[in-house]
Amino acid sequence: MSFVWGLKEEENILEKLGPPNAYEFFFRSKNTSIFLNDINGLLNNLEENLDEHIGVYITDFLLNLDKAEANQFFEGEAGWFGENSKWNPPLLEGRYYTREEILKRKDVVVIGQNLKKYMNDDGKTIGIYGKNYEVVGVVGLKDRPLKWDMFIFFPLSILSEEIADTVGGVGNIVVYSPKDDTLEQIDKFIVGGNSRWDKFESSGLQALSKRKIRWIDLDSNFLFITIIVYIAAISQAMAIMTFWIDNMRFEIGLRKALGHTNFQIGKLVYGEIFTITLIAYIISIIIQLIINIFVKSVLGVLITLRFENLTLGMVVIVITSLITSIYPIIKSFKVQPTEAMKL
């Protein structure tokens, strides 16, 4: 639960730090690859039809860095924005590339903080498909990891053939606006596309603020399912402990014959359940650490185990073991010392 709610927290942070009023859709022309053959037309469409407060970036590029392994790829975003657009990912160092650098096709990039190790020896540039780009800024936060830590941001105007080839003729585009007019701006973009390219088409819109993080859906159904699974687990544990009591009637009867009180027997039963639950708690932490490694390598998201998670886990252990032990303890009270004679 702490792992999944960690993903939920990550989603909330990305929504808070992400572009305002953002919508995503894909577009293409069946007659030409816009990214390979007409990047100028795409830029002109943005410049001519979208207002100066609008920002845009193309997603789903997979880039290989010169200093990375041959089969290691990182996500890239190619951006454009008007004169009054204010949003950019949170910066840890330096600055974001400027509109002037977009228009002048400057070979500049902004990288996530985890990609600094792939920079060239000069400490100022990074190699992408054999070409060096000046790193003007580093994205990230000091106190927590973000999915952007593994990203590369670059001006849409310097989109090279090697980079464009990674998405083919279909691109996912995100349009955002500090005002509540994103849908109107997208309509302008589509109208411009229809007039500029033959057989131009686009998909339905998807609001980024409503999109869940990757393959995890964290709506109310998740909470309901979690509660049901938790209740089922407690019921199963109670059944197991009841079976254990039935098979330990001789030992319990013998202990009572030797002078053990019901309180001491109950304490023994609770101790057994608490120990089993504690072992499960430790195993769950190990499983979560393993899952974290997988999620970080695949999604670029690191879900950390915080002190609050561990404390909450201990509280759940005490409550769970207490609930689970109530019926077995009551049943142990009914075991008589004469059970020790049934050998």
Side-chain angles (χ1 to χ4, degrees):
M1 290 179 63
S2 65
F3 170 78
V4 177
W5 283 111
L7 286 180
K8 178 64 177 178
E9 183 182 22
E10 176 77 9
E11 178 185 306
N12 292 336
I13 289 177
L14 292 180
E15 182 175 333
K16 180 180 179 181
L17 298 177
N21 304 312
Y23 285 83
E24 181 181 29
F25 61 100
F26 77 76
F27 68 96
R28 67 178 177 180
S29 169
K30 291 185 177 180
N31 288 349
T32 182
S33 174
I34 297 175
F35 299 107
L36 287 173
N37 303 323
D38 196 16
I39 191 65
N40 289 331
L42 176 57
L43 287 168
N44 290 335
N45 187 24
L46 295 171
E47 289 285 337
E48 294 171 5
N49 294 296
L50 300 192
D51 293 343
E52 60 184 10
H53 63 274
I54 298 300
V56 167
Y57 59 86
I58 313 295
T59 68
D60 289 348
F61 296 101
L62 291 177
L63 312 181
N64 179 249
L65 304 178
D66 292 350
K67 285 199 170 185
E69 298 178 4
N71 61 347
Q72 190 174 13
F73 294 89
F74 305 95
E75 292 190 55
E77 292 183 355
W80 170 92
F81 47 83
E83 292 182 6
N84 295 327
S85 182
K86 302 296 183 182
W87 178 83
N88 57 257
L91 289 170
L92 192 62
E93 301 176 19
R95 60 176 177 83
Y96 204 68
Y97 56 79
T98 65
R99 174 172 168 78
E100 182 181 8
E101 288 170 329
I102 296 175
L103 298 179
K104 291 185 177 181
R105 302 176 184 270
K106 296 289 186 179
D107 292 327
V108 295
V109 297
V110 178
I111 64 174
Q113 60 179 331
N114 290 347
L115 300 185
K116 292 177 66 176
K117 60 184 178 182
Y118 299 112
M119 292 178 62
N120 296 326
D121 295 337
D122 58 14
K124 298 179 181 180
T125 61
I126 193 168
I128 307 175
Y129 294 118
K131 183 176 181 178
N132 290 331
Y133 296 83
E134 180 186 359
V135 177
V136 297
V138 177
V139 168
L141 294 176
K142 289 183 178 180
D143 57 344
R144 66 171 296 112
L146 296 173
K147 72 165 188 174
W148 291 315
D149 293 346
M150 306 289 286
F151 274 46
I152 306 166
F153 306 86
F154 55 94
L156 180 59
S157 58
I158 66 170
L159 191 62
S160 67
E161 182 176 346
E162 293 82 2
I163 296 176
D165 192 47
T166 64
V167 297
V170 179
N172 285 337
I173 182 171
V174 175
V175 180
Y176 58 90
S177 170
K179 302 179 181 180
D180 193 20
D181 64 344
T182 310
L183 297 179
E184 299 174 11
Q185 300 294 327
I186 291 175
D187 287 340
K188 293 180 181 180
F189 174 84
I190 294 175
V191 169
N194 287 328
S195 64
R196 188 175 299 274
W197 298 290
D198 292 334
K199 296 184 178 179
F200 178 79
E201 61 182 23
S202 60
S203 70
L205 304 177
Q206 186 176 30
L208 255 61
S209 60
K210 297 179 181 179
R211 190 176 62 180
K212 303 303 178 183
I213 187 167
R214 307 295 172 132
W215 39 265
I216 293 292
D217 188 5
L218 294 171
D219 55 17
S220 58
N221 290 331
F222 167 75
L223 183 59
F224 174 76
I225 293 173
T226 300
I227 293 175
I228 294 299
V229 171
Y230 182 66
I231 293 175
I234 289 181
S235 301
Q236 181 67 17
M238 290 176 65
I240 293 174
M241 292 308 300
T242 301
F243 177 79
W244 177 77
I245 292 294
D246 289 337
N247 284 272
M248 298 295 290
R249 296 178 69 87
F250 171 77
E251 179 182 339
I252 295 174
L254 180 60
R255 287 179 178 272
K256 286 188 175 182
L258 295 175
H260 283 71
T261 64
N262 282 336
F263 176 78
Q264 290 174 317
I265 298 297
K267 185 178 179 182
L268 173 66
V269 173
Y270 178 79
E272 292 279 353
I273 296 177
F274 181 82
T275 301
I276 294 173
T277 311
L278 181 62
I279 293 174
Y281 171 69
I282 296 173
I283 293 175
S284 69
I285 292 176
I286 296 174
I287 292 175
Q288 177 166 332
L289 292 174
I290 295 173
I291 294 177
N292 284 350
I293 295 174
F294 171 78
V295 172
K296 181 181 179 182
S297 62
V298 175
L299 304 182
V301 176
L302 178 61
I303 307 302
T304 57
L305 269 174
R306 299 184 178 181
F307 177 76
E308 294 85 352
N309 299 134
L310 301 176
T311 303
L312 177 61
M314 289 302 301
V315 172
V316 171
I317 283 179
V318 174
I319 295 175
T320 301
S321 55
L322 182 60
I323 295 174
T324 306
S325 62
I326 291 176
Y327 180 70
I329 289 176
I330 293 175
K331 192 167 184 177
S332 71
F333 289 169
K334 298 179 181 180
V335 177
Q336 300 301 317
T338 55
E339 293 289 337
M341 301 174 62
K342 297 177 181 181
L343 182 60

